[in-house]
Amino acid sequence: MANANGTNLRKSTTCISMLWFCFSWLLLSQTSTSLDTLSPGQSIKDGETLVSKGGIFELGFHRLGNSNKRYLAIWYKEAKAFSVVWVANRETPLLDSSGVLSFSKKGLLVLLNGKNSTVWSSNKTTPAQSLLMQLLDTGNLVVNDTQSVNYLWQSFDSPCDTLLPGMRIGRNFSTRQDRFLTSWKSANDPAPGQFSLWIDPRGFPQLVLRNGTAMHYRLGSWNGLRFTGTPQLPAQIELFEYEFELNNNGVYYEYEVKGNLMSRLFVNRSGFVERFARENQSNGWRNLYSAPLDQCDKYSLCGAHMKCDIIGDLPNCVCLEGFVSKSPKNWSAGCVRKTPLDCKAGDIFRSYTGLKLPDTSGSSYNMTMSLAECKEMCTRNCNCTAYANSNIKGSGCLLWFGELADMREYNEGGQNIYIRMSSSKPDQAKKKQIGIIVTSAILVGMLVVGIIVCIQRRKKSMQGMANGIHMNDNENNEGTEDMELLTFDITTITKATNNFSRDNKLGQGGFGPVYKGTLPGGQEIAVKRLSKSSGQGQTEFKTEVILISKLQHRNLVRLLGCCFQKDEKMLIYEFMPNKSLDFFIFDQMRSNYLDWPKRVHIIGGIAKGLLYLHQDSRLRIIHRDLKASNVLLDKDMNPKISDFGMARIFGGDQTEANTNRVAGTYGYMAPEYAVDGLFSMKSDVFSFGALVLEIVSGKKNRGFSHPDHNHNLLGHAWKLWIEERPLELVDHMLDSFATFEVLRCINVGLLCVQQRPEDRPNMSSVVVMLGSESSLPQPKQPGFFTERNMPEAESSSSGHGSTSVNEMSTSFLEPR
Ligand SMILES: *[C@@H]1O[C@H](CO)[C@@H](O)[C@H](O)[C@H]1NC(C)=O
Ligand SMILES: *[C@@H]1O[C@H](CO)[C@@H](O)[C@H](O)[C@H]1NC(C)=O
Ligand SMILES: *[C@@H]1O[C@H](CO)[C@@H](O)[C@H](O)[C@H]1NC(C)=O
Ligand SMILES: *[C@@H]1O[C@H](CO)[C@@H](O)[C@H](O)[C@H]1NC(C)=O
Ligand SMILES: *[C@@H]1O[C@H](CO)[C@@H](O)[C@H](O)[C@H]1NC(C)=O
Ligand SMILES: *[C@@H]1O[C@H](CO)[C@@H](O)[C@H](O)[C@H]1NC(C)=O
Ligand SMILES: *[C@@H]1O[C@H](CO)[C@@H](O)[C@H](O)[C@H]1NC(C)=O
Ligand SMILES: *[C@@H]1O[C@H](CO)[C@@H](O)[C@H](O)[C@H]1NC(C)=O
Ligand SMILES: *[C@@H]1O[C@H](CO)[C@@H](O)[C@H](O)[C@H]1NC(C)=O
Ligand SMILES: *[C@@H]1O[C@H](CO)[C@@H](O)[C@H](O)[C@H]1NC(C)=O
């Protein structure tokens, strides 16, 4: 028995070692298919793959769609279907599974079909002793040998539709080798399609998306931070590093990823440049960027010397100031100077801001010149029509000759250009007049003019507004005498609002009720009817009329007209179907509707609107009552700042003023304003910061309470920030959001509500910070940290369309 037992034992050991052998063999063969290298004599057949060392990329045969066509391709291992990043035999598919990749005798990488004929090869003969092909974790397939310092061949040199981090496109000036991306022909055909992303080497090189050989969208020239036509490049500062290299040897563009991110930029087959990124396997691919953004990006949609802007959803071309259109109905015809140039008489240069720089394919450049040298250079050459810094940080020189093409206007991230103009220019004097001003004193003077403001306007103009198209506001609109505003007849308004019926009432502002109305043509309007009893109504009314009629920005509510009749004073606005921001963010149910991207969009829009008020409009305007209920939302949830009843105009160099009638709203007032009556752009910035924190948190600053402390929302946000758990501030209704964007918003919000006005950024910095590439400063402690150090005050004041009494603006006398 013992013997028998022993035999049994031996048998089972043998069996186990057999199994072990089988297992190891399996293991071995397993690893042999997931190697990352291929040597001469070895091959990869259909069904086998190489996997890069870190398991990120995979190389193998890929079958597309239902056809039998197979391609040697590289893809992200975890997302093959979505992310083929490179294809070898783009135009020569294998028609069955007989494909084999190996080294030829000459040292080429060759892809053979079942008939041993070459379908694709690496096309670079360098016979070498010890060749090795390797798939790297960067997605680069390289051929190397032990002797060479550089790769003998690499797939990064033959881009398809995808630019991976570390890969370059561009041109080698000496070899004239040109690398660019080309879209696939169709979803199942990787052959080169019609769109390509290419660096145009003419003049000052620019990145261009081509349709065939025609320019389709000009991403434009590199400005040191980004391409001039991509200001919307989202806040990807933490994620990417961009590199644009231009020297005597060549021009190249590439990007690197910071940290642990997978990213791909590619040209899709419908003609868009898209960037996707993914943090890890559990997160999906996110689209971080896609362009062209809108119709204004279409190359040369507007003719020479025009700028394109989007109004509503439609592109609108207008002449640059100082130019008139050649043919009013034909944008392509472009614009010409009002006064022809006269080089001998001495031309001047006029500065234009916030633009996408014009096509540089005919320009010349010098990267080391200063702006002054640049101007000098342009002045000396009568053929030079414009100059600009090549680097947005204020260096380098670009010179244009001839017409200036393909410009557009940006609210954010645009650039400056100086355009040659005749020195005898009629509208120069006018501008000066406005330049001087002032606060209330001149405001009074303007009030007189204000009455003249309401001039009957042609019916046609009204039509234009109904379609959401700006009036041609680029010409002759500098002086108040040019201001046109539609006067409505009281009977029209009475009819439109159904005799100011209860059902049409939208809300009650500090100065009176707001009604919804419908004009005979069907256009919806909001009518602000100033109560006869409101003692201060007159002044505020006229301020608002004058101010708002001058302001044209997509993030400001548009005043359509006014109505002075009998005792009635009314303002007619465009109607905002989605009410105001407070209606959404502070409501549990409705806040669901404001997902994170919408909130970011709203924050950005408010910032742009406020920047326009502060810096970009012809006047410098302090709003003084920015708050959630004064931000209205249009049908697409675009924010529009409203209620200019308390706004003040500042003169050119004036930065702050004092008032003895402090007016504003609890929770949004800066300390120096509430306490000392000092208002400035920085007090608006404070309100903006409070608003940003409200939008992020979904909570009101005023009335905020927390079981653990007595701070208001600002104090709470600050506390979380210094305790390094800022994300706890985020609205619980938001189930997904981009962490880096949230952090950026909180950081900006806190910078804006800092105690000392001089510490707060101005709105142009805010706009830059919200969408730029730099790391942000650390905020200091906010003003009005706790609710308690708010001064007590008496009430009553404005509020267009504001709904709740608690949100009403407050004004009180200066406590001195
Ligand atoms: C292809 O080449 C291999 C090796 O050189 C050879 O064994 C095979 O028979 C060839 N096949 C055909 C179809 O010629
Ligand atoms: C690679 O192939 C192309 C045509 O397919 C040819 O024009 C080019 O000269 C080749 N380059 C080299 C280095 O062999
Ligand atoms: C090629 O391989 C050799 C030997 O392994 C190595 O020293 C060299 O750096 C490699 N070349 C490149 C470009 O990686
Ligand atoms: C351009 O091509 C030349 C010749 O092949 C090469 O020596 C040089 O390194 C290339 N320049 C760049 C920046 O790749
Ligand atoms: C690309 O060009 C073709 C041919 O000119 C044209 O038909 C097509 O509409 C263009 N595509 C786009 C997206 O502009
Ligand atoms: C190309 O990109 C645009 C913009 O992101 C997108 O709308 C479109 O669906 C994409 N086309 C394809 C074929 O993926
Ligand atoms: C993936 O990324 C998310 C967000 O960055 C992180 O919370 C999660 O832990 C990551 N998962 C893995 C498997 O790394
Ligand atoms: C518009 O102007 C362009 C450029 O001057 C011209 O080629 C085109 O024919 C004009 N179109 C119409 C409809 O007049
Ligand atoms: C660029 O400008 C600098 C400074 O004016 C000058 O020294 C240099 O020669 C210029 N370079 C070229 C290529 O013109
Ligand atoms: C200006 O342009 C004219 C015509 O194109 C040319 O003849 C002339 O030489 C140019 N002048 C300068 C200074 O470049």
Side-chain angles (χ1 to χ4, degrees), residues 599-641:
R599 292 187 200 210
V600 170
H601 177 71
I602 288 170
I603 291 172
I606 300 170
K608 287 176 220 163
L610 199 53
L611 171 63
Y612 175 83
L613 288 177
H614 286 179
Q615 273 170 292
D616 290 353
S617 67
R618 282 176 284 267
L619 300 165
R620 174 172 290 179
I621 290 156
I622 313 299
H623 186 283
R624 296 207 301 161
D625 199 17
L626 184 68
K627 57 180 171 179
S629 60
N630 278 344
V631 174
L632 307 185
L633 298 168
D634 73 9
K635 68 175 182 2
D636 299 315
M637 303 301 271
N638 292 310
K640 305 217 175 201
I641 300 174

Side-chain angles (χ1 to χ4, degrees), residues 411-412 553-556 576 578-586 590-611 626-642 668 687-698 731 734 741 745 748 763 766-767 770:
N411 290 327
E412 163 189 1
H553 188 274
R554 79 175 78 149
N555 296 115
L556 300 183
M576 291 290 135
N578 279 324
K579 309 213 169 150
S580 49
L581 184 56
D582 60 335
F583 185 73
F584 286 92
I585 47 171
F586 303 134
R590 290 190 284 258
S591 63
N592 274 317
Y593 191 67
L594 287 186
D595 59 13
W596 178 248
K598 285 208 186 76
R599 292 187 200 210
V600 170
H601 177 71
I602 288 170
I603 291 172
I606 300 170
K608 287 176 220 163
L610 199 53
L611 171 63
L626 184 68
K627 57 180 171 179
S629 60
N630 278 344
V631 174
L632 307 185
L633 298 168
D634 73 9
K635 68 175 182 2
D636 299 315
M637 303 301 271
N638 292 310
K640 305 217 175 201
I641 300 174
S642 77
Y668 296 90
S687 311
F688 174 78
L691 187 51
V692 168
L693 296 173
E694 288 185 335
I695 294 171
V696 171
S697 65
D731 193 345
L734 285 173
E741 283 181 345
C745 286
V748 169
M763 285 314 295
V766 167
V767 165
L770 286 172

Side-chain angles (χ1 to χ4, degrees), residues 194-195 211 216 270 298:
Q194 95 199 85
F195 298 98
N211 175 0
H216 179 61
S270 27
K298 190 169 160 37

Side-chain angles (χ1 to χ4, degrees), residues 162-225:
T162 303
L163 191 70
L164 290 171
M167 189 169 170
R168 297 170 135 199
I169 51 174
R171 174 182 292 240
N172 184 326
F173 291 152
S174 55
T175 60
R176 297 182 158 263
Q177 185 189 31
D178 197 8
R179 286 177 215 147
F180 52 90
L181 306 181
T182 37
S183 63
W184 285 23
K185 219 170 205 158
S186 72
N188 293 326
D189 186 357
Q194 95 199 85
F195 298 98
S196 55
L197 186 67
W198 175 66
I199 296 186
D200 183 344
R202 296 173 297 165
F204 187 56
Q206 35 185 7
L207 191 60
V208 169
L209 183 65
R210 290 190 299 186
N211 175 0
T213 53
M215 278 213 205
H216 179 61
Y217 159 47
R218 199 173 54 87
L219 291 88
S221 48
W222 181 255
N223 66 21
L225 285 178

Side-chain angles (χ1 to χ4, degrees), residues 366 368-369 373:
N366 178 325
T368 54
M369 271 188 189
E373 290 171 312

Side-chain angles (χ1 to χ4, degrees), residues 70-71 88-94 111 119-120:
R70 282 145 214 270
Y71 297 89
N89 50 327
R90 284 186 89 169
E91 290 175 277
T92 48
L94 292 153
L111 179 60
V119 164
W120 170 87

